[in-house]
Every structure is written in structure tokens, then in C-alpha cells.
Amino acid sequence: MFLCMVLVFLLLIIRLGYIQFVQGSELKTMAYVQQTLDRTINPNRGTIYDRNGEVLAMSASVETITVNPTNIAKEDKEKVAKALTNIFELDYETVLKKVNRKTSIETIVKKVDKEKTDKLRKWMQSENIINGINIDEDTKRYYPFATLASHIIGFTGSDNQGLDGIEAKYDEILSGEKGKIERKTDASGRIIGDGEEQYVKAIDGDSIELSIDTNIQSIATKYLEEACIDNECEEGGVVIIMEPKTGDILAMVAYPEYNLNDPFTINTEEITSAWNRIF
């Protein structure tokens, strides 16, 4: 009996040592993930300028709406879903499913104007709903000239990551560092303690100045488009204008261009007809 007790005691010590020294860091990370609820704050991407200081790409302030389903009272769930549906013009059944889930956080809508989120704030105040709905600052990429220099500038995705052109090539410089809002929760995602949030500020990205001259780029775009249409260039065309003394590229145009503010929409009859033939 004594030997058995000693053996069990030794096994417990070995197990304890294994948990402490071998699995310690992994379990600590798991505990942090389980006991905290982080909401990401996207930084403002750096501005892209032409050689004269004209803004070619900039970040506008918007907001993202998320919910913590476990922190919304059962009797309020349908009311919250209806309000979110009406304010942001969403599908009621989809929103209701998210509000009723047992997850710690669900995204309702991303990158909406402050005008709409202010309506939500007023509704929350009038209904005395404090917990469960989050309104977090976010950014949205905006291109003032829409199509100008589209093949050079490129565009970003919904997560503000550069996907093409300068936006992708210099993403690390432009993107900055994300911030976060941290809150202590239990395993079910419910707030524990006093519910106080810890705010870590996002660091904005650095700006970039190109050698492109917006005026020269606009003129080259106009005449290239006219030439391609007049000569029925089915494969489009390209124009590059360079300053011979310095090698600076003053204009770089590829026709047809596309709308940087809506990059995934087909905007030419040729591509539309080809797309329809395929599908």
C-alpha cells in the first residue's frame, strides 16, 4: 500500500511538471484566448500622393458593428435583430441567427458611415441596451479620381490589405499596425469583472509620394482612350511618359481602366460580352 501511494505521488509530480514546464506556454495562450475578447481596430492606411501633392488614395473614417450574443438578454434578441436589420438594411433572418448564436462575437456589418451608426447609438440609448452591441472605429479606402491611374495605384480588400498595384507592393509601409479593444470574458463569452475595456490605439501607416503627375496622367488617359476607340484596339493600349533627364515616370496609362472604388465590377462592354459568352 505504501509503495502504491509513493508511485501515485511520483506520477502526480511528473504530470504536474509536464503541465507546468512542457505545456505551460501553450496552456497560458489558450487561457488568454478563452478569457479575453479582442475586437480589432484597423489603422488608417497611409495616403498616396502624386508628385504635386494631389491625393490619389486616402482613408475615410467608418465604423464596424459586431455583437456579443451571450451578452444580449434573451428577451431582447428579436428586438436587437430588428433594429440592426432596419438601420443597416440587412436580412432579418441572417441577423437573428447571428444574435442567437452561442459564439463570443459576431460581425453584423462592416465599414458603415457614422450617420447610420449614430442612429444605432440613439436606439440603444432609448431602449437602455448597454451590453452586447459594439460600435468600433474602422477605415475605408477612398480614391478621389476613381479610375485615374487605376493600374498603378491598385486597391485594397475588405480587411484593408493591399491587393494590387502600389497598394499591394508597399502594403507593409501603408498598412500601419492594428489596435484592439480587449475585454475579460468567461468561457461562454460573457463579460466578467467590472466589464472595463482596455483600449490599444492603432498606429497609422506611412504615406507615399509617386513620381506620377495627375495632370499629365489625365491627358495621356484621354488621348489613349480616343486612340483605342478610333482604331478599334480590342486588346487595349499602354502609354508611358518619362522625364528623360531623371528617369521619373510622369504618366503610366493602360486602357481600359477600372473604378478603384468598385474594383470587382465589370465596366466595359468588351469584357461584359466575353464574360457572358463564357457563362
Side-chain angles (χ1 to χ4, degrees):
M1 181 67 72
F2 176 74
L3 289 175
C4 288
M5 291 178 62
V6 171
L7 181 61
V8 170
F9 187 69
L10 287 173
L11 290 173
L12 288 173
I13 291 176
I14 292 171
R15 178 60 178 165
L16 183 62
Y18 179 78
I19 293 173
Q20 179 69 32
F21 299 108
V22 179
Q23 293 184 306
S25 59
E26 181 183 353
L27 293 174
K28 183 178 179 181
T29 301
M30 290 173 64
Y32 174 81
V33 171
Q34 185 185 66
Q35 296 169 9
T36 58
L37 177 64
D38 291 349
R39 306 198 310 271
T40 300
I41 301 173
N42 287 320
N44 287 314
R45 283 179 71 84
T47 303
I48 300 177
Y49 298 96
D50 80 341
R51 68 189 298 116
N52 302 313
E54 194 78 55
V55 175
L56 300 175
M58 61 185 293
S59 289
S61 295
V62 289
E63 293 179 308
T64 290
I65 308 300
T66 59
V67 295
N68 308 119
T70 52
N71 292 327
I72 300 175
K74 187 175 181 180
E75 61 273 15
D76 291 335
K77 288 184 180 292
E78 290 188 5
K79 182 167 59 175
V80 168
K82 286 180 181 178
L84 294 172
T85 299
N86 294 333
I87 294 172
F88 301 109
E89 301 173 2
L90 304 171
D91 178 69
Y92 173 72
E93 294 300 327
T94 302
V95 175
L96 184 61
K97 285 180 182 178
K98 291 184 177 182
V99 172
N100 280 321
R101 283 176 185 161
K102 299 187 181 300
T103 51
S104 59
I105 191 166
E106 289 287 335
T107 299
I108 300 299
V109 62
K110 292 182 176 181
K111 303 181 185 303
V112 291
D113 294 332
K114 197 171 182 298
E115 180 181 352
K116 288 191 174 183
T117 56
D118 282 342
K119 290 182 181 179
L120 178 59
R121 289 185 177 92
K122 291 178 181 178
W123 180 85
M124 291 171 63
Q125 186 176 6
S126 65
E127 296 294 330
N128 196 29
I129 293 179
I130 302 173
N131 297 320
I133 303 176
N134 311 306
I135 305 175
D136 297 326
E137 59 188 274
D138 202 347
T139 63
K140 180 180 180 180
R141 205 60 165 163
Y142 174 66
Y143 303 92
F145 292 97
T147 60
L148 187 71
S150 57
H151 296 285
I152 300 174
I153 300 170
F155 57 92
T156 61
S158 59
D159 59 353
N160 286 327
Q161 180 181 4
L163 298 180
D164 194 25
I166 294 294
E167 294 278 28
K169 179 68 175 178
Y170 296 100
D171 184 63
E172 188 174 341
I173 295 173
L174 292 164
S175 61
E177 295 182 18
K178 292 184 177 181
K180 63 180 179 179
I181 299 173
E182 182 183 288
R183 178 184 290 179
K184 299 293 182 183
T185 62
D186 63 12
S188 300
R190 291 186 293 267
I191 298 171
I192 58 177
D194 57 7
E196 185 177 350
E197 294 181 335
Q198 182 179 353
Y199 180 88
V200 179
K201 184 177 175 60
I203 300 175
D204 294 341
D206 293 324
S207 297
I208 288 178
E209 182 180 300
L210 306 181
S211 63
I212 297 298
D213 187 309
T214 301
N215 295 322
I216 300 175
Q217 181 81 17
S218 298
I219 295 169
T221 300
K222 175 186 175 182
Y223 285 106
L224 175 61
E225 181 178 358
E226 290 178 357
C228 287
I229 293 173
D230 292 342
N231 294 280
E232 299 180 356
C233 302
E234 294 183 358
E235 296 184 0
V238 176
V239 167
I240 298 175
I241 300 176
M242 183 179 71
E243 168 57 62
K245 293 182 180 179
T246 62
D248 287 350
I249 302 299
L250 303 179
M252 184 183 291
V253 186
Y255 177 82
E257 296 192 301
Y258 62 93
N259 189 346
L260 292 172
N261 294 310
D262 190 16
F264 300 107
T265 298
I266 298 174
N267 63 344
T268 65
E269 293 181 3
E270 293 85 355
I271 299 176
T272 301
S273 60
W275 183 271
N276 291 335
R277 285 197 302 271
I278 295 172
F279 298 98

